[in-house]
Amino acid sequence: MIVDDAAVMRLYVEEPFEKNGFEVIAECANGADAVARYPILKPDLVTMDITMPDMDGITAVQEILKLDSAARIVMCSAMGQVDK
């Protein structure tokens, strides 16, 4: 499951997974959606942005871990990047 508020970033993250034979079962635009969908979908891996509307990634990770302490979550963010 890919969680990022930017659609272009979700595509950017999805591409290498699918090219290597993995199935992306869901995309979420905010942490609240990810928390709601996690127990239904039970993904093997979640990629989580940090800065998002409605519920940030750090809070979403905390909530998902309450649901499943063995959840595999990779935090990734473009926060703080500067275009040159």
Side-chain angles (χ1 to χ4, degrees), residues 2-13 27-30 49 51-53 78:
I2 299 170
V3 186
D4 198 303
D5 60 326
V8 69
M9 288 306 295
R10 292 193 305 268
L11 287 172
Y12 183 74
V13 172
E27 295 181 19
C28 302
N30 61 65
D49 186 21
T51 306
M52 295 180 288

